[in-house]
Amino acid sequence: MKTSFYFFLWIIIYPLLGLIHSPWVYQNSFIVALFIVWGLSWFLNKNMPDTLRYERLTEISTIMEEVFEGHIDSFRKRLSRIVTIDFVTAIYMGVAFVFILFSMVRGSADDWIALLIFGFFAFGTISRTVKLNQVQNRIKLNPTKEECAIAIQEIYRIDYTSYYNARIHTTAESMLPSQPKNFKTFQIFSLVIAVLCSLCGLYYLIMSLIILGENRSAEAISGGIMYFLYGSLAAYFGIKDSVDCISYFRKISKGKD
């Protein structure tokens, strides 16, 4: 599933959990939400393997083609976007960790599991950001196809050499499997969710500005920053996935002409 789907799911899941009116669910809402998201992801991967595999392969093919065709600037811009998003994500995870820790110190919350999870993801995202920045700097110093191929293998864990050896004998489209029959419906659903995610991200951004403008307490400022960062990421992925879906429909529309 597209990234905007999971952002939108996290946005709506807490209001839905509030409808249960259970003290236990309220006290353990983060864990309940985490298990719901994980369970839904497992369910979708089990029941939509061909669709999700095709989506992943088309994304990989786009990245591979940038390097194969020698579009180094395009690949560098893609890498720069990834570094920026990972940097923002790392800040969000770090702020969330501090916010939870601060709430626990004040006695308004007692969620060690959420603290450990956000701490773990913060450390992992920071480490990945540092590595990506190193890769990006290498490509700046040596903007060649060979360096980009090495970057692909380091970042995406994909064997570019095998792709290259197969690609020189055929086209990128012919290397993809047949499109699943329900893929168009999947793209329509993804587009709707992506648009909703964008709107929710915009709402979070507006709420963050209101919170930061009206409050001066450390806890409120931390919460406002979290809202701003999450809203920024949700809006970005919502817009990005919307553009990807629209590009898909334009492509198949041209194919019919």
Side-chain angles (χ1 to χ4, degrees), residues 1-6 44-45 48 52 55 186 189-190:
M1 298 297 291
K2 296 186 181 298
T3 307
S4 57
F5 170 81
Y6 292 102
L44 292 174
N45 279 281
M48 300 171 54
L52 299 181
E55 179 190 36
F186 170 77
F189 173 79
S190 296

Side-chain angles (χ1 to χ4, degrees), residues 81-82 85 198 231-241:
R81 289 194 300 270
I82 296 174
I85 292 301
S198 302
S232 299
L233 292 170
Y236 169 80
F237 283 110
I239 294 172
K240 175 184 176 299
D241 291 345

